[in-house]
Amino acid sequence: MTRNPGVPRLLRRLNDRAALELLLSEGPLTRAELGERTGLSKVTAGQLLARLEERGLVEVAGERAGGRGPNAALYGVVPSSAHVAGLEVLPDAITVGVADITGRTVVEVVVNPTDGDPVATVHQAVRRACEAARITLPQLRSFVIGTRGVVDPGTGDVRFSYDLPAWHAGVLASLRGALGASVTIENDVNLVALAEHRYGAAVGVDDFVVLWAGVGQGLGVMLGGRLHRGNTGGAGEIGWLPVPGEPLPADVTKPQSGSYQRLVGQAALDGLARGHGMSVRPSADLVRAAVADGRSGFLDAVADRLAVGVAAVTVVLDPGLIVLAGDIGRAGGPELAARVEEAVAKVCPTRPSVVTTGVAGNPVLRGALVAALEQAREQVFSDTV
Protein backbone atom coordinates (compact mmCIF):
# COMPACT_ATOMS: atom_id res chain seq x y z
CA MET A 1 0.00 0.00 0.00
CA THR A 2 1.29 3.45 -0.92
CA ARG A 3 1.08 6.01 1.91
CA ASN A 4 0.58 9.71 1.34
CA PRO A 5 3.32 11.38 3.41
CA GLY A 6 1.36 14.66 3.36
CA VAL A 7 -1.62 13.31 5.33
CA PRO A 8 -0.07 13.23 8.85
CA ARG A 9 1.37 16.71 8.30
CA LEU A 10 -2.02 18.00 7.14
CA LEU A 11 -3.77 16.45 10.14
CA ARG A 12 -1.26 18.03 12.52
CA ARG A 13 -1.84 21.41 10.88
CA LEU A 14 -5.62 21.04 11.14
CA ASN A 15 -5.39 19.94 14.76
CA ASP A 16 -3.06 22.85 15.57
CA ARG A 17 -5.46 25.32 13.99
CA ALA A 18 -8.43 23.89 15.88
CA ALA A 19 -6.51 24.02 19.15
CA LEU A 20 -5.40 27.61 18.65
CA GLU A 21 -8.94 28.73 17.81
CA LEU A 22 -10.21 27.00 20.97
CA LEU A 23 -7.56 28.62 23.11
CA LEU A 24 -8.55 32.01 21.72
CA SER A 25 -12.28 31.53 22.25
CA GLU A 26 -12.34 29.46 25.45
CA GLY A 27 -8.82 29.53 26.88
CA PRO A 28 -6.76 29.21 28.83
CA LEU A 29 -7.26 25.43 28.92
CA THR A 30 -5.48 22.46 30.43
CA ARG A 31 -4.08 19.71 28.25
CA ALA A 32 -6.95 17.43 29.27
CA GLU A 33 -9.57 20.08 28.50
CA LEU A 34 -8.03 20.74 25.11
CA GLY A 35 -8.06 17.01 24.39
CA GLU A 36 -11.72 16.71 25.35
CA ARG A 37 -12.79 19.64 23.17
CA THR A 38 -10.79 18.56 20.12
CA GLY A 39 -11.32 14.81 20.48
CA LEU A 40 -7.56 14.22 20.70
CA SER A 41 -5.91 11.82 23.13
CA LYS A 42 -3.95 13.27 26.05
CA VAL A 43 -0.73 12.15 24.40
CA THR A 44 -1.58 13.80 21.07
CA ALA A 45 -2.80 16.95 22.83
CA GLY A 46 0.47 17.06 24.76
CA GLN A 47 2.52 16.71 21.59
CA LEU A 48 0.44 19.43 19.94
CA LEU A 49 0.97 21.85 22.84
CA ALA A 50 4.68 21.12 22.89
CA ARG A 51 4.90 21.85 19.18
CA LEU A 52 2.97 25.13 19.50
CA GLU A 53 4.98 26.12 22.57
CA GLU A 54 8.20 25.55 20.63
CA ARG A 55 6.91 27.78 17.83
CA GLY A 56 6.20 30.56 20.33
CA LEU A 57 2.43 30.45 19.76
CA VAL A 58 1.35 28.94 23.09
CA GLU A 59 2.58 29.42 26.65
CA VAL A 60 1.71 28.33 30.17
CA ALA A 61 -0.68 31.00 31.43
CA GLY A 62 -1.31 29.66 34.94
CA GLU A 63 -2.47 26.50 36.62
CA ARG A 64 -5.68 24.92 37.83
CA ALA A 65 -6.02 23.03 41.07
CA GLY A 66 -7.48 19.57 40.69
CA GLY A 67 -8.23 16.81 43.12
CA ARG A 68 -5.28 14.68 44.04
CA GLY A 69 -1.90 15.26 42.51
CA PRO A 70 -0.19 18.37 41.17
CA ASN A 71 -2.04 21.32 39.67
CA ALA A 72 -2.64 21.19 35.92
CA ALA A 73 -0.93 23.75 33.71
CA LEU A 74 -3.19 26.15 31.81
CA TYR A 75 -2.19 26.99 28.25
CA GLY A 76 -3.05 30.13 26.31
CA VAL A 77 -2.10 31.80 23.03
CA VAL A 78 0.94 34.08 23.31
CA PRO A 79 -0.51 37.58 22.73
CA SER A 80 2.72 38.95 21.28
CA SER A 81 3.08 36.18 18.68
CA ALA A 82 1.61 38.59 16.12
CA HIS A 83 0.12 42.07 15.89
CA VAL A 84 -2.19 43.73 13.38
CA ALA A 85 -3.19 47.28 12.48
CA GLY A 86 -6.59 48.69 11.60
CA LEU A 87 -7.05 52.20 10.23
CA GLU A 88 -9.90 54.60 9.58
CA VAL A 89 -8.96 57.26 7.02
CA LEU A 90 -10.93 60.52 6.98
CA PRO A 91 -10.07 63.79 5.23
CA ASP A 92 -9.00 65.44 8.49
CA ALA A 93 -7.76 62.52 10.60
CA ILE A 94 -6.34 59.00 10.50
CA THR A 95 -7.09 56.70 13.43
CA VAL A 96 -4.83 53.69 13.88
CA GLY A 97 -5.46 50.80 16.23
CA VAL A 98 -2.97 48.03 16.97
CA ALA A 99 -4.17 44.71 18.39
CA ASP A 100 -2.34 41.57 19.42
CA ILE A 101 -3.25 38.15 18.04
CA THR A 102 -5.83 37.59 20.81
CA GLY A 103 -7.79 40.63 19.60
CA ARG A 104 -6.90 42.89 22.50
CA THR A 105 -6.39 46.48 21.34
CA VAL A 106 -2.95 47.58 22.51
CA VAL A 107 -3.01 51.22 21.38
CA GLU A 108 -5.19 53.63 19.46
CA VAL A 109 -3.78 56.86 18.07
CA VAL A 110 -5.18 59.71 15.98
CA VAL A 111 -2.92 61.51 13.50
CA ASN A 112 -3.67 64.65 11.51
CA PRO A 113 -2.68 64.28 7.84
CA THR A 114 0.30 66.47 7.06
CA ASP A 115 0.02 66.46 3.27
CA GLY A 116 -2.00 65.00 0.43
CA ASP A 117 0.16 61.92 -0.04
CA PRO A 118 -1.84 58.99 1.35
CA VAL A 119 1.17 56.64 1.45
CA ALA A 120 3.37 59.00 3.46
CA THR A 121 0.49 59.90 5.77
CA VAL A 122 -0.49 56.28 6.47
CA HIS A 123 3.13 55.24 6.91
CA GLN A 124 3.71 58.01 9.44
CA ALA A 125 0.52 57.14 11.34
CA VAL A 126 1.36 53.43 11.51
CA ARG A 127 4.91 54.13 12.68
CA ARG A 128 3.58 56.36 15.44
CA ALA A 129 1.15 53.64 16.52
CA CYS A 130 3.98 51.08 16.56
CA GLU A 131 6.07 53.37 18.76
CA ALA A 132 3.15 53.75 21.18
CA ALA A 133 2.65 49.97 21.21
CA ARG A 134 6.40 49.39 21.63
CA ILE A 135 6.60 47.08 18.65
CA THR A 136 8.41 47.29 15.33
CA LEU A 137 6.76 47.70 11.96
CA PRO A 138 7.76 44.16 10.81
CA GLN A 139 5.82 42.72 13.77
CA LEU A 140 2.57 43.82 12.14
CA ARG A 141 1.26 40.86 10.15
CA SER A 142 -1.74 42.57 8.57
CA PHE A 143 -3.07 46.06 7.80
CA VAL A 144 -6.72 46.83 6.96
CA ILE A 145 -7.62 50.39 5.99
CA GLY A 146 -11.21 51.65 6.02
CA THR A 147 -12.19 54.52 3.73
CA ARG A 148 -15.40 56.12 2.52
CA GLY A 149 -14.55 55.20 -1.06
CA VAL A 150 -15.83 52.54 -3.43
CA VAL A 151 -13.29 49.70 -3.39
CA ASP A 152 -12.96 47.46 -6.45
CA PRO A 153 -13.26 43.85 -5.18
CA GLY A 154 -11.21 42.62 -8.12
CA THR A 155 -8.13 44.83 -7.68
CA GLY A 156 -8.55 45.91 -4.06
CA ASP A 157 -7.97 49.54 -5.13
CA VAL A 158 -10.17 52.55 -4.45
CA ARG A 159 -12.26 53.24 -7.54
CA PHE A 160 -13.72 56.49 -6.32
CA SER A 161 -13.71 58.57 -3.15
CA TYR A 162 -15.53 61.89 -3.05
CA ASP A 163 -13.67 63.49 -0.14
CA LEU A 164 -10.36 61.60 -0.49
CA PRO A 165 -9.37 62.43 -4.09
CA ALA A 166 -5.77 61.30 -3.56
CA TRP A 167 -7.02 57.77 -2.87
CA HIS A 168 -7.30 56.31 -6.35
CA ALA A 169 -6.11 53.36 -8.43
CA GLY A 170 -2.47 52.68 -7.71
CA VAL A 171 -2.53 53.68 -4.05
CA LEU A 172 -2.82 50.08 -2.87
CA ALA A 173 0.35 49.02 -4.68
CA SER A 174 2.20 52.01 -3.21
CA LEU A 175 0.97 51.20 0.28
CA ARG A 176 2.08 47.60 -0.10
CA GLY A 177 5.45 48.82 -1.25
CA ALA A 178 5.78 50.88 1.92
CA LEU A 179 4.18 48.55 4.48
CA GLY A 180 4.21 45.08 2.96
CA ALA A 181 1.96 42.82 0.91
CA SER A 182 -0.63 42.35 3.67
CA VAL A 183 -2.29 45.77 3.20
CA THR A 184 -6.01 45.69 2.38
CA ILE A 185 -8.36 48.60 1.69
CA GLU A 186 -12.05 48.16 2.51
CA ASN A 187 -15.16 50.33 2.41
CA ASP A 188 -15.83 51.78 5.85
CA VAL A 189 -19.48 50.66 6.17
CA ASN A 190 -18.50 47.11 5.17
CA LEU A 191 -16.10 47.16 8.10
CA VAL A 192 -18.89 48.37 10.38
CA ALA A 193 -20.89 45.30 9.29
CA LEU A 194 -17.95 43.08 10.32
CA ALA A 195 -17.82 44.81 13.70
CA GLU A 196 -21.57 44.37 14.24
CA HIS A 197 -21.28 40.69 13.32
CA ARG A 198 -18.41 40.07 15.72
CA TYR A 199 -19.20 42.38 18.65
CA GLY A 200 -22.48 44.20 18.13
CA ALA A 201 -26.15 43.86 17.31
CA ALA A 202 -25.70 41.13 14.68
CA VAL A 203 -23.74 38.55 16.68
CA GLY A 204 -24.93 35.12 15.52
CA VAL A 205 -26.87 36.58 12.56
CA ASP A 206 -25.54 35.78 9.09
CA ASP A 207 -28.06 37.77 7.00
CA PHE A 208 -28.34 41.42 7.95
CA VAL A 209 -27.83 44.96 6.70
CA VAL A 210 -26.16 47.93 8.38
CA LEU A 211 -27.74 51.25 7.42
CA TRP A 212 -25.19 53.99 8.03
CA ALA A 213 -27.00 57.28 8.48
CA GLY A 214 -24.90 60.37 8.94
CA VAL A 215 -23.17 62.97 6.79
CA GLY A 216 -23.36 60.40 4.00
CA GLN A 217 -25.57 57.35 3.65
CA GLY A 218 -24.30 53.82 3.13
CA LEU A 219 -25.12 50.13 3.51
CA GLY A 220 -23.07 47.21 4.68
CA VAL A 221 -24.66 43.96 3.45
CA MET A 222 -23.83 40.56 4.91
CA LEU A 223 -25.38 37.47 3.36
CA GLY A 224 -24.59 33.96 4.50
CA GLY A 225 -21.99 35.33 6.89
CA ARG A 226 -20.05 37.03 4.06
CA LEU A 227 -19.87 40.63 2.96
CA HIS A 228 -21.65 41.36 -0.30
CA ARG A 229 -19.64 43.97 -2.20
CA GLY A 230 -21.20 43.74 -5.64
CA ASN A 231 -19.51 43.32 -9.01
CA THR A 232 -17.59 46.60 -8.86
CA GLY A 233 -17.69 47.29 -5.11
CA GLY A 234 -20.68 49.59 -5.44
CA ALA A 235 -23.15 47.52 -3.39
CA GLY A 236 -24.48 49.65 -0.56
CA GLU A 237 -24.20 53.09 -2.17
CA ILE A 238 -27.74 53.80 -1.05
CA GLY A 239 -27.40 57.56 -1.28
CA TRP A 240 -28.08 57.11 -5.01
CA LEU A 241 -31.34 55.21 -4.46
CA PRO A 242 -34.05 56.83 -6.64
CA VAL A 243 -36.81 58.22 -4.44
CA PRO A 244 -40.24 59.37 -5.68
CA GLY A 245 -40.55 63.11 -5.27
CA GLU A 246 -36.81 63.72 -5.19
CA PRO A 247 -34.94 64.73 -8.36
CA LEU A 248 -32.58 62.27 -9.97
CA PRO A 249 -28.93 63.34 -9.94
CA ALA A 250 -27.65 65.25 -12.93
CA ASP A 251 -24.00 64.56 -12.06
CA VAL A 252 -23.03 61.31 -10.35
CA THR A 253 -19.68 62.79 -9.29
CA LYS A 254 -21.60 64.84 -6.70
CA PRO A 255 -22.75 62.44 -3.95
CA GLN A 256 -24.93 65.01 -2.24
CA SER A 257 -27.13 65.03 -5.32
CA GLY A 258 -28.33 61.43 -4.87
CA SER A 259 -32.10 61.16 -4.37
CA TYR A 260 -31.97 59.28 -1.04
CA GLN A 261 -29.17 61.54 0.15
CA ARG A 262 -31.44 64.52 -0.56
CA LEU A 263 -34.19 62.85 1.47
CA VAL A 264 -32.20 62.11 4.64
CA GLY A 265 -29.09 64.31 4.45
CA GLN A 266 -28.23 67.35 6.54
CA ALA A 267 -30.17 69.83 4.38
CA ALA A 268 -33.30 67.66 4.57
CA LEU A 269 -33.11 67.36 8.36
CA ASP A 270 -32.53 71.10 8.65
CA GLY A 271 -35.81 71.64 6.83
CA LEU A 272 -37.58 69.14 9.11
CA ALA A 273 -36.17 70.89 12.15
CA ARG A 274 -37.49 74.26 11.08
CA GLY A 275 -40.88 72.76 10.40
CA HIS A 276 -41.00 71.37 13.93
CA GLY A 277 -39.80 74.52 15.64
CA MET A 278 -36.29 73.25 16.33
CA SER A 279 -33.06 75.17 15.89
CA VAL A 280 -30.83 73.98 13.06
CA ARG A 281 -27.73 72.03 14.13
CA PRO A 282 -25.77 68.97 12.95
CA SER A 283 -28.01 65.98 12.12
CA ALA A 284 -26.94 63.80 15.02
CA ASP A 285 -27.45 66.67 17.49
CA LEU A 286 -30.93 67.27 16.06
CA VAL A 287 -31.92 63.66 16.53
CA ARG A 288 -30.34 63.44 19.98
CA ALA A 289 -32.20 66.59 21.09
CA ALA A 290 -35.47 65.26 19.68
CA VAL A 291 -35.11 62.03 21.67
CA ALA A 292 -34.25 63.94 24.85
CA ASP A 293 -37.12 66.43 24.42
CA GLY A 294 -39.70 63.88 23.33
CA ARG A 295 -40.33 65.49 19.93
CA SER A 296 -42.34 62.62 18.47
CA GLY A 297 -43.35 64.47 15.29
CA PHE A 298 -39.76 65.14 14.26
CA LEU A 299 -38.64 61.59 15.09
CA ASP A 300 -41.55 60.11 13.14
CA ALA A 301 -40.66 62.24 10.13
CA VAL A 302 -37.00 61.14 10.28
CA ALA A 303 -38.05 57.50 10.69
CA ASP A 304 -40.38 57.71 7.68
CA ARG A 305 -37.52 58.97 5.53
CA LEU A 306 -35.03 56.35 6.74
CA ALA A 307 -37.71 53.70 6.19
CA VAL A 308 -37.72 54.40 2.44
CA GLY A 309 -34.18 53.02 2.19
CA VAL A 310 -34.81 50.16 4.60
CA ALA A 311 -37.94 49.08 2.70
CA ALA A 312 -36.10 49.15 -0.63
CA VAL A 313 -33.39 46.88 0.74
CA THR A 314 -35.88 44.60 2.47
CA VAL A 315 -38.01 43.86 -0.58
CA VAL A 316 -34.88 42.94 -2.56
CA LEU A 317 -32.79 41.07 0.03
CA ASP A 318 -35.19 40.25 2.91
CA PRO A 319 -32.31 40.30 5.43
CA GLY A 320 -34.47 40.00 8.55
CA LEU A 321 -32.29 42.39 10.58
CA ILE A 322 -31.43 46.03 9.95
CA VAL A 323 -28.84 47.73 12.16
CA LEU A 324 -29.02 51.53 12.33
CA ALA A 325 -25.50 52.90 12.65
CA GLY A 326 -23.68 56.15 11.93
CA ASP A 327 -24.08 59.38 13.86
CA ILE A 328 -27.85 59.51 13.35
CA GLY A 329 -28.42 55.85 14.13
CA ARG A 330 -26.40 56.07 17.33
CA ALA A 331 -28.04 59.35 18.38
CA GLY A 332 -31.57 58.03 17.76
CA GLY A 333 -30.95 54.83 19.70
CA PRO A 334 -33.71 52.29 20.33
CA GLU A 335 -36.45 54.93 20.07
CA LEU A 336 -35.61 55.86 16.48
CA ALA A 337 -35.00 52.20 15.55
CA ALA A 338 -38.46 51.22 16.81
CA ARG A 339 -40.06 54.02 14.80
CA VAL A 340 -38.21 52.95 11.63
CA GLU A 341 -39.36 49.36 12.15
CA GLU A 342 -42.99 50.52 12.44
CA ALA A 343 -42.67 52.74 9.37
CA VAL A 344 -41.19 49.91 7.28
CA ALA A 345 -43.96 47.53 8.33
CA LYS A 346 -46.54 49.93 6.83
CA VAL A 347 -45.01 49.86 3.35
CA CYS A 348 -43.27 46.49 3.15
CA PRO A 349 -44.77 42.96 3.00
CA THR A 350 -42.13 41.66 5.40
CA ARG A 351 -41.19 43.24 8.72
CA PRO A 352 -37.47 43.17 9.50
CA SER A 353 -36.24 43.82 13.01
CA VAL A 354 -34.62 47.24 13.21
CA VAL A 355 -32.14 47.79 16.02
CA THR A 356 -29.53 50.35 16.90
CA THR A 357 -25.79 49.67 16.67
CA GLY A 358 -24.28 47.53 19.39
CA VAL A 359 -20.63 48.37 18.73
CA ALA A 360 -18.88 50.51 21.32
CA GLY A 361 -16.14 52.91 20.30
CA ASN A 362 -15.09 53.50 16.70
CA PRO A 363 -17.02 50.92 14.63
CA VAL A 364 -14.93 51.38 11.46
CA LEU A 365 -11.71 50.85 13.38
CA ARG A 366 -13.09 47.83 15.22
CA GLY A 367 -14.21 46.29 11.93
CA ALA A 368 -10.79 46.93 10.40
CA LEU A 369 -9.17 45.11 13.30
CA VAL A 370 -11.61 42.19 12.90
CA ALA A 371 -10.62 41.86 9.23
CA ALA A 372 -6.91 42.25 10.00
CA LEU A 373 -7.05 39.60 12.72
CA GLU A 374 -8.75 37.13 10.38
CA GLN A 375 -5.95 37.59 7.86
CA ALA A 376 -3.17 37.38 10.44
CA ARG A 377 -4.56 34.29 12.13
CA GLU A 378 -4.87 32.59 8.76
CA GLN A 379 -1.18 33.26 8.18
CA VAL A 380 0.10 32.41 11.65
CA PHE A 381 -2.16 29.49 12.52
CA SER A 382 -1.73 27.78 9.14
CA ASP A 383 2.04 27.62 9.43
CA THR A 384 2.61 25.61 12.58
CA VAL A 385 4.08 22.43 11.15
Side-chain angles (χ1 to χ4, degrees), residues 240 248-258 262:
W240 301 106
L248 294 175
D251 184 354
V252 294
T253 64
K254 298 179 179 179
Q256 298 302 314
S257 67
R262 289 174 182 267

Side-chain angles (χ1 to χ4, degrees), residues 245-384:
E246 294 293 332
L248 294 175
D251 184 354
V252 294
T253 64
K254 298 179 179 179
Q256 298 302 314
S257 67
S259 299
Y260 188 65
Q261 177 67 34
R262 289 174 182 267
L263 186 70
V264 297
Q266 179 69 57
L269 294 196
D270 287 349
L272 283 179
R274 295 188 190 96
H276 288 83
M278 299 174 65
S279 59
V280 173
R281 64 195 92 171
S283 299
D285 293 340
L286 276 173
V287 173
R288 192 176 294 108
V291 171
D293 298 341
R295 291 183 174 270
S296 297
F298 176 81
L299 289 175
D300 284 340
V302 173
D304 286 345
R305 292 177 178 229
L306 291 174
V308 172
V310 174
V313 173
T314 299
V315 296
V316 175
L317 299 179
D318 190 19
L321 177 67
I322 308 292
V323 181
L324 289 187
D327 294 339
I328 293 175
R330 192 180 293 274
E335 186 163 345
L336 180 61
R339 292 171 187 270
V340 173
E341 183 174 320
E342 290 291 337
V344 172
K346 295 175 183 177
V347 299
C348 190
T350 58
R351 178 173 181 152
S353 296
V354 181
V355 300
T356 192
T357 176
V359 177
N362 184 327
V364 177
L365 186 66
R366 296 200 73 183
L369 288 172
V370 168
L373 281 165
E374 288 178 354
Q375 294 178 18
R377 288 171 181 172
E378 184 64 32
Q379 295 173 27
V380 175
F381 293 175
S382 298
D383 187 27
T384 60

Side-chain angles (χ1 to χ4, degrees), residues 145 147 149-160 185-187 229 232-234:
I145 302 170
T147 78
V150 176
V151 180
D152 189 322
T155 65
D157 244 321
V158 177
R159 271 202 313 117
F160 171 77
I185 304 174
E186 181 61 89
N187 172 265
R229 299 176 175 87
T232 64

Side-chain angles (χ1 to χ4, degrees), residues 124-188:
Q124 177 194 17
V126 170
R127 293 189 73 87
R128 186 173 299 182
C130 286
E131 291 171 3
R134 297 182 179 179
I135 62 173
T136 63
L137 194 60
Q139 287 178 273
L140 291 174
R141 298 295 293 262
S142 179
F143 306 80
V144 173
I145 302 170
T147 78
R148 292 177 179 173
V150 176
V151 180
D152 189 322
T155 65
D157 244 321
V158 177
R159 271 202 313 117
F160 171 77
S161 180
Y162 170 71
D163 50 7
L164 292 168
W167 288 73
H168 48 66
V171 167
L172 179 60
S174 298
L175 286 168
R176 287 176 172 172
L179 297 174
S182 60
V183 177
T184 302
I185 304 174
E186 181 61 89
N187 172 265
D188 55 354

Side-chain angles (χ1 to χ4, degrees), residues 10-104:
L10 175 61
L11 289 175
R12 287 196 297 271
R13 181 178 288 118
L14 293 173
N15 289 336
D16 289 356
R17 178 66 182 265
L20 287 164
E21 295 288 356
L22 273 172
L23 290 173
L24 281 174
S25 61
E26 301 181 29
L29 299 171
T30 66
R31 182 182 65 173
E33 290 169 339
L34 189 63
E36 289 172 3
R37 285 164 171 77
T38 58
L40 300 174
S41 68
K42 289 184 179 180
V43 172
T44 303
Q47 294 171 340
L48 178 153
L49 286 169
R51 183 166 61 249
L52 296 179
E53 201 170 5
E54 184 180 353
R55 295 295 300 268
L57 297 177
V58 164
E59 65 185 354
V60 176
E63 57 183 29
R64 176 170 294 149
R68 298 176 179 177
N71 294 342
L74 285 167
Y75 292 88
V77 174
V78 178
S80 60
S81 58
H83 289 82
V84 302
L87 297 86
E88 180 189 30
V89 177
L90 297 172
D92 56 352
I94 294 181
T95 305
V96 185
V98 173
D100 63 35
I101 197 68
T102 69
R104 181 179 68 92

Side-chain angles (χ1 to χ4, degrees), residues 3 102 105 200-201 228 269:
R3 293 182 178 272
T102 69
T105 300
H228 178 72
L269 294 196

